[in-house]
Amino acid sequence: DAKTTQPPSMDCAEGRAANLPCNHSTISGNEYVYWYRQIHSQGPQYIIHGLKNNETNEMASLIITEDRKSSTLILPHATLRDTAVYYCIVRVAEWGGSNYKLTFGKGTLLTVNP
Amino acid sequence: EAQVTQNPRYLITVTGKKLTVTCSQNMNHEYMSWYRQDPGLGLRQIYYSMNVEVTDKGDVPEGYKVSRKEKRNFPLILESPSPNQTSLYFCASSFSGGGSDTQYFGPGTRLTVL
């Protein structure tokens, strides 16, 4: 799986949009970009994923650059409960065994301030 | 409610005393996995299972056993726990299919081996 680079920490004001960047310059054509978050020692929570196109769900939006070498997770209206470590992961799309493993890096600690 | 459950949530034990951490999912998922999380090392996969009676080693399987006799359950067994197995453990499951599949995590089990 391709490696990812994220800033170690970011701050955001409550009610504002939080934009979390991720670089994955070695991503392959068959690799998805996933975002998970972990709120203080709880189980990681899936947020969103995409391959090429931008994606949006009820939690967030994912913007992937045209060359797919970077992406941005957008939380449109951050709340205090969004304070967490956010992980950007790239993973092969093929089915099978160890491909299902999620390799978490250090992630970005997002702190939402009142 | 669709969920992955783990028990116990907290456990303090002594070296050499066999223990089992249970994991159960109610989503009829075929794939299940165990991870451990340690400070500075991120999440590392211990074992995974593609289906009933099909298990395989992850990145850090030493000192652990698993079994998958039923689709919904995937217990983690420590035959002779040692202090270096003190960690936060997460069980995860996903439906199956391609790499676009999403993994759902349990709430975690914090294990301390004295």
Side-chain angles (χ1 to χ4, degrees), chain A residues 23-77:
Chain A
N23 288 321
H24 30 78
S25 58
T26 60
I27 192 170
S28 300
N30 64 346
E31 289 181 314
Y32 282 82
V33 179
Y34 274 80
W35 284 83
Y36 279 76
R37 73 180 182 183
Q38 187 174 22
I39 298 172
H40 187 58
S41 296
Q42 295 181 20
Q45 177 190 24
Y46 165 80
I47 302 173
I48 199 167
H49 74 280
L51 187 62
K52 293 182 184 178
N53 300 321
N54 299 336
E55 302 288 343
T56 296
N57 62 21
E58 64 279 3
M59 288 182 69
S61 295
L62 174 60
I63 308 297
I64 302 174
T65 58
E66 193 169 341
D67 63 7
R68 302 210 323 123
K69 292 186 177 181
S70 66
S71 60
T72 301
L73 177 74
I74 301 172
L75 307 178
H77 305 286

Side-chain angles (χ1 to χ4, degrees), chain A residues 34 38 91 93 95 100-101, chain B residues 35 37 59 97 99-101 103:
Chain A
Y34 274 80
Q38 187 174 22
R91 184 157 69 100
W95 185 93
Y100 277 25
K101 175 178 60 181
Chain B
Y35 294 83
Q37 185 173 32
D59 294 326
S100 62
D101 205 14
Q103 288 196 33

Side-chain angles (χ1 to χ4, degrees), chain B residues 18-56:
Chain B
K18 181 180 178 179
L19 66 92
T20 299
V21 183
T22 64
C23 172
S24 183
Q25 50 90 7
N26 63 0
M27 296 170 278
N28 201 35
H29 284 170
E30 292 188 349
Y31 179 88
M32 298 185 74
S33 177
W34 277 102
Y35 294 83
R36 62 178 287 175
Q37 185 173 32
D38 303 288
L41 296 176
L43 268 82
R44 295 177 292 169
Q45 190 183 54
I46 303 170
Y47 267 95
Y48 64 92
S49 170
M50 298 298 295
N51 212 325
V52 175
E53 302 293 0
V54 181
T55 64
D56 208 346

